């Protein structure tokens, strides 16, 4: 045991590197990014050992780096990794799609549209518009089983 401690004293940078590798491998099993931040601190300790600073400063520098990484870097990484893309499901995924009017849509008189291969009840998003059969519309909103649409040609003007 004495020989190991003597070797470790002579090879502090190697000890820090070994600790960083050990923490990095353990991080692969935990996947919570805590051990990765501690490994980063160990790498800072290794750099300080390579510079030739005393062991106490190596430990202090590694600890400060690890705590800083845990407090400053980890929260943003966790947020980025755990928040995947926003998924739109159900009727929400139909908003923004184009449809074709199959039954005239007038003020206070719902009509019908063919949307994503299905026939939907539809009302004009602008109540003053009348939309004739065959016109292409865009779905602005879906409330219940009714799509609120607006003619495509009106969008460009």
């Amino acid at each position: 045991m004495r020989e190991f401690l003597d070797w470790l004293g002579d090879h502090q940078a190697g000890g820090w590197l070994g600790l960083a590798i050990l923490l990095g491998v353990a991080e692969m099993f935990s996947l919570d990014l805590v051990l990765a931040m501690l490994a980063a601190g160990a790498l800072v300790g290794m750099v300080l050992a390579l510079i030739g600073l005393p062991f106490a400063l190596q430990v202090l520098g590694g600890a400060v780096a690890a705590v800083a990484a845990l407090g400053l870097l980890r929260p943003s990484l966790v947020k980025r990794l755990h928040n995947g893309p926003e998924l739109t499901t159900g009727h929400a995924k139909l908003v923004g799609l184009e449809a074709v009017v199959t039954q005239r849509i007038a003020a206070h008189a719902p009509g019908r549209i063919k949307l994503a291969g299905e026939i939907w009840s539809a009302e004009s998003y602008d109540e003053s518009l009348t939309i004739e059969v065959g016109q292409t519309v865009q779905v602005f909103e879906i409330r219940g089983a009714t799509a609120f649409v607006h003619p495509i040609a009106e969008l460009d003007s």
Side-chain angles (χ1 to χ4, degrees):
M1 181 68 160
R2 178 76 179 143
E3 294 90 20
F4 175 72
L5 293 177
D6 288 339
W7 179 88
L8 193 57
D10 293 337
H11 300 91
Q12 291 175 357
W16 285 111
L17 181 60
L19 180 61
I21 291 171
L22 182 69
L23 289 168
V25 169
E27 175 62 39
M28 287 191 256
F29 294 103
S30 70
L31 298 177
D32 62 0
L33 297 179
V34 171
L35 297 176
M37 301 301 120
L38 296 177
L43 290 175
V44 169
M46 179 190 74
V47 169
L48 296 177
L50 289 172
I51 293 173
L53 294 179
F55 184 71
L57 289 178
Q58 296 171 29
V59 171
L60 183 62
V64 167
V67 169
L70 282 169
L72 301 174
L73 184 60
R74 183 180 178 272
S76 63
L77 287 175
V78 168
K79 182 179 179 184
R80 194 174 296 172
L81 289 173
H82 291 280
N83 289 343
E86 188 173 317
L87 298 177
T88 52
T89 59
H91 296 149
K93 68 181 176 184
L94 299 175
V95 173
L97 294 182
E98 294 181 5
V100 177
V101 178
T102 59
Q103 180 183 348
R104 183 174 187 248
I105 302 169
H108 307 293
R112 301 242 182 245
I113 59 170
K114 185 165 188 164
L115 171 64
E118 298 177 339
I119 300 297
W120 281 74
S121 297
E123 293 184 29
S124 177
Y125 194 77
D126 180 354
E127 295 174 359
S128 65
L129 291 178
T130 299
I131 308 171
E132 298 298 332
V133 173
Q135 275 191 276
T136 303
V137 293
Q138 183 175 18
V139 178
F140 277 14
E141 182 180 359
I142 294 184
R143 288 186 226 148
T146 303
F148 288 82
V149 298
H150 197 68
I152 297 288
E154 292 292 322
L155 290 175
D156 296 332
S157 55

